[in-house]
Amino acid sequence: MTEKLAICLVGPKKGGKSSLLASIVDCVAQSAFGYSPRLRPALQPITQAEFSGERADPRRADLLSIEEGDYERLKQEFTEGGVATDTLDTYEYYFRLSVNGVAPPEVMTRGPWLLEIVDSAGEIAVPPAGAEVAILNDVKAKLTRQVLGSDALVMVLPLVRLEDSAWMGALARLIDRLALAKERKTERVIVVFSQYERLFTRLGPSAFTYACDPAVALHVLRKSLRTAQWLSRLRALEQSGVSVRYTVCSAYGFTKRFQNPNMDPHQPGERRFRRTGLEGPRANSEYWRPFLTAEPILYAALGIDSAFTFSHGQIDANQEEIPPASILA
Amino acid sequence: MVAAAPVGASEAILTFHRLHYGKLAEGAERRVSASAGYAVTRRSAGLDPAWDPYLSPLRLTGLRRFEPDAIDLEARAAGCLVMRTVGESVIFMRARFRPEDGERGGGRLHQQSAIWVGSFEGFRRNPAGCLSIAAYDLRALPDLASESEALRLNEAPMRWRVSRPEPGAVRRIVERAPWALAMLEALLDAADSGADACLDFGARDFPSEDAFLAGVGCVLELLPPGYPRWRDINVVSGLSNPLPGLCLRYLPSWGRARAAA
């Protein structure tokens, strides 16, 4: 059996939606997530035609061909520093997710999963106060349809002082309207705080060790959510049957071998570390290990908690119960 | 929507409305501030927002996604240029991707487009003049946040006085230029066949985009007003994908690729 799922990424501009998306395949491939390694998920980008079932029987010539699709271009742009997603349209990416290891039978029988993940400019769904969406209002209508029709919503928020952000009001309004929408299909909402590696820049080679502790992530989430007024609105959404989870992630991640946050201060803009003189795909992947970016997508699709997905109950608990060890350790 | 007013026997006033899509910037390097998002940052008074869907860079480039690799590598600094006809209007667009941390920066890129809307009749009567103005004045520069929003979003349309080139001089240029024959043949063949066609030129044909646009202007000056496919003519520079219709395209790296092949 194959299950089709639609997942919408929403959040303010510069929040890291496209970066998260660009890193999920590598994150799953490197098992850089908080799920048990026995789950053995596999995620691969596919074309819209494959998602729609139009190419169920691919031609032989396609077997060994390498197609540079939208996702490969997104990954390339991410490697080169990123491109701000425009407001001219919303952009769909397609994936096949399978679980090849141990998972509850009710999960296994649903798979494999064909995922449609919708990326869009932050200005559309969560505009800064006073801003207007440029050029096409029908893009707003399209994104509204996609949000309401999605099985899961992933809210990507940059790990900043939330009370200072100009998009706070818009985010609260979005959650309110989602809660009130009768035609909503959403079953899961995952709030993911991006740019997690930035908290550990002073820790050097110890950064990865601390980041891998779920108790640290829970502490960071509690602290970040303390002033978030929209938290109560998400609690209300949960009352209407939507599962809400919180997690953290980092698309840049932490360097392999050296374990420090993977942002090279000597490069212009925001670039990952790479060895000087080395070119090609290896140069971009030699040190790159994204951190937990697959978490929100795997939870959105499978509905299984990891060591780094936290419910309201866990956020609220005085003495949190954390799994004894993260698989990332 | 905007008329080209005749001034003398060979002169006209061309009027263009303009719209800028992109981000507001600050300072000499035009850095984008953290709070700036995509917006229409400049709009001529009288350019109805109902036109906006026709002015989307996606629609003008014919692309599902407008990404940096849609622009020829050697045209990425200035951006691609597209000229096409929509209804009774001619639309010029310059679009590029530039770093948010300024012209010499190396950070995240954002899209910046400058779009002009003028009269199709004005273009048909003055193709060389229109293409020359676009070549020299159409720049995809972000507007400055320091400029008043009221002024930016309500500015007067731009006006240029243009002279038609002397027909004898145009004919002499066209007769001597190797590229001119190819353009004229393609235009005339397309008039007969009614089929779409794309004619590519590269750095071996023209040293720069300016020279290409000047060349196209000369050839179009020779087309009679009754040419049946005027509205199908697209002039494109630096855009990797050809446009439907009769597409005259300049790709700076194309000549080099052809030479290497």
Side-chain angles (χ1 to χ4, degrees):
Chain A
M1 185 182 157
T2 301
E3 186 175 328
K4 283 187 181 177
L5 289 167
I7 299 169
C8 256
L9 300 178
V10 294
K13 68 185 171 60
K14 271 192 161 175
K17 297 179 291 300
S18 302
S19 300
L20 180 145
L21 189 56
S23 64
I24 55 173
V25 168
D26 287 78
C27 186
V28 171
Q30 296 186 35
S31 299
F33 44 63
Y35 286 91
S36 162
R38 295 196 302 156
L39 186 68
R40 293 178 53 217
L43 186 69
Q44 67 175 111
I46 56 173
T47 62
Q48 184 179 13
E50 289 172 278
F51 177 83
S52 309
E54 293 165 14
R55 277 179 59 187
D57 184 20
R59 288 169 294 156
R60 281 184 194 176
D62 291 344
L63 187 66
L64 298 177
S65 67
I66 297 170
E67 192 176 334
E68 197 193 337
D70 296 331
Y71 187 70
E72 282 69 28
R73 279 200 292 276
L74 179 75
K75 273 183 68 173
Q76 185 60 32
E77 288 169 5
F78 171 62
T79 300
E80 291 166 1
V83 177
T85 306
D86 63 54
T87 55
L88 305 172
D89 204 346
T90 65
Y91 299 101
E92 299 82 21
Y93 297 85
Y94 302 94
F95 303 88
R96 179 182 291 110
L97 170 69
S98 54
V99 170
N100 304 304
V102 180
E106 65 272 19
V107 173
M108 294 297 275
T109 51
R110 285 167 42 215
W113 295 261
L114 297 180
L115 309 181
E116 179 191 58
I117 303 183
V118 179
D119 189 22
S120 61
E123 292 95 324
I124 304 173
V126 189
E132 280 185 27
V133 177
I135 296 207
L136 291 174
N137 277 330
D138 59 355
V139 178
K140 267 185 185 172
K142 181 184 174 192
L143 183 59
T144 302
R145 278 197 308 275
Q146 288 174 319
V147 167
L148 292 174
S150 65
D151 301 278
L153 209 58
V154 176
M155 293 183 175
V156 186
L157 308 178
L159 202 50
V160 293
R161 290 177 63 197
L162 296 175
E163 68 271 25
D164 289 346
S165 303
W167 41 264
M168 288 289 294
L171 182 69
R173 274 195 302 280
L174 175 69
I175 299 169
D176 276 348
R177 288 172 186 173
L178 193 68
L180 293 171
K182 286 183 181 144
E183 68 273 37
R184 162 172 51 81
K185 196 181 159 197
T186 315
E187 291 180 1
R188 298 181 187 117
V189 171
I190 302 97
V191 180
V192 53
F193 287 89
S194 60
Q195 303 166 0
Y196 188 53
E197 86 287 351
R198 295 183 189 198
L199 293 183
F200 305 95
T201 48
R202 289 167 186 261
L203 297 182
S206 302
F208 186 57
T209 306
Y210 284 98
C212 284
D213 188 342
V216 174
L218 183 58
H219 175 75
V220 168
L221 286 172
R222 281 178 175 158
K223 203 172 169 194
S224 299
L225 292 168
R226 200 172 293 156
T227 53
Q229 293 172 352
W230 41 267
L231 189 62
S232 57
R233 293 171 160 93
L234 276 173
R235 289 182 201 280
L237 193 62
E238 193 160 46
Q239 300 299 315
S240 61
V242 177
S243 301
V244 181
R245 292 292 184 275
Y246 300 85
T247 189
V248 292
C249 80
S250 166
Y252 283 75
F254 299 85
T255 56
K256 292 176 190 167
R257 287 172 53 201
F258 302 104
Q259 319 283 28
N260 55 297
N262 193 358
M263 194 174 290
D264 188 348
H266 304 295
Q267 295 285 332
E270 294 179 353
R271 302 285 168 95
R272 306 193 301 255
F273 281 100
R274 57 182 291 175
R275 200 189 324 172
T276 311
L278 193 65
E279 296 298 330
R282 193 176 156 214
N284 299 320
S285 62
E286 186 180 26
Y287 297 132
W288 183 41
R289 177 174 47 199
F291 186 76
L292 304 182
T293 51
E295 226 76 358
I297 303 302
L298 292 178
Y299 182 80
L302 307 176
I304 308 174
D305 276 308
S306 86
F308 285 88
T309 55
F310 301 101
S311 64
H312 283 128
Q314 289 167 290
I315 297 285
D316 296 339
N318 290 327
Q319 288 293 315
E320 66 271 25
E321 287 180 21
I322 297 295
S326 160
I327 57 144
L328 288 168
Chain B
M1 64 182 293
V2 183
V7 175
S10 62
E11 283 193 342
I13 300 286
L14 294 176
T15 305
F16 285 99
H17 284 127
R18 67 172 162 170
L19 179 145
H20 289 179
Y21 171 75
K23 295 191 175 189
L24 287 174
E26 294 167 344
E29 283 291 311
R30 301 204 181 217
R31 291 168 188 267
V32 174
S33 72
S35 60
Y38 280 110
V40 172
T41 58
R42 186 174 295 275
R43 180 192 293 275
S44 298
L47 182 59
D48 191 336
W51 261 84
D52 289 0
Y54 300 101
L55 306 183
S56 162
L58 291 180
R59 184 174 283 203
L60 292 175
T61 55
L63 290 166
R64 206 164 43 86
R65 297 162 195 250
F66 184 47
E67 295 168 323
D69 64 1
I71 302 175
D72 186 271
L73 202 60
E74 295 188 32
R76 287 191 186 170
C80 63
L81 183 131
V82 170
M83 177 250 112
R84 58 192 307 181
T85 303
V86 177
E88 289 305 311
S89 297
V90 65
I91 297 174
F92 287 88
M93 179 183 77
R94 171 87 65 189
R96 65 172 173 145
F97 290 84
R98 64 183 294 279
E100 289 188 330
D101 51 353
E103 292 297 342
R104 284 179 289 184
R108 191 166 90 134
L109 304 178
H110 74 97
Q111 190 187 133
Q112 188 67 44
S113 310
I115 298 154
W116 292 357
V117 184
S119 148
F120 169 70
E121 268 312 305
F123 170 71
R124 182 158 66 174
R125 288 181 195 151
N126 303 278
C130 287
L131 289 168
S132 172
I133 293 167
Y136 290 99
D137 288 317
L138 183 53
R139 297 279 174 267
L141 269 180
D143 292 301
L144 292 170
S146 55
E147 191 181 351
S148 143
E149 184 175 305
L151 288 176
R152 280 189 287 105
L153 298 180
N154 198 30
E155 67 161 24
M158 302 175 298
R159 290 158 69 88
W160 278 275
R161 181 188 295 267
V162 294
S163 305
R164 286 200 75 168
E166 200 267 309
V170 170
R171 195 160 289 118
R172 282 193 295 279
I173 292 170
V174 167
E175 281 169 1
R176 288 177 196 162
W179 40 261
L181 186 62
M183 283 188 201
L184 281 169
E185 272 183 357
L187 292 168
L188 296 176
D189 286 351
D192 288 340
S193 69
D196 285 1
C198 180
L199 196 58
D200 285 329
F201 298 91
R204 281 171 49 163
D205 305 299
F206 295 97
S208 65
E209 182 191 273
D210 299 351
F212 165 71
L213 294 175
V216 173
C218 284
V219 169
L220 296 185
E221 286 284 341
L222 291 183
L223 279 188
Y227 176 70
R229 299 193 67 187
W230 261 106
R231 290 171 193 276
D232 292 337
I233 296 173
N234 302 307
V235 182
V236 172
S237 169
L239 186 68
S240 299
N241 69 303
L243 297 183
L246 304 180
C247 183
L248 300 173
R249 182 169 64 151
Y250 178 63
L251 292 171
S253 64
W254 191 68
R256 277 180 262 293
R258 191 171 47 166

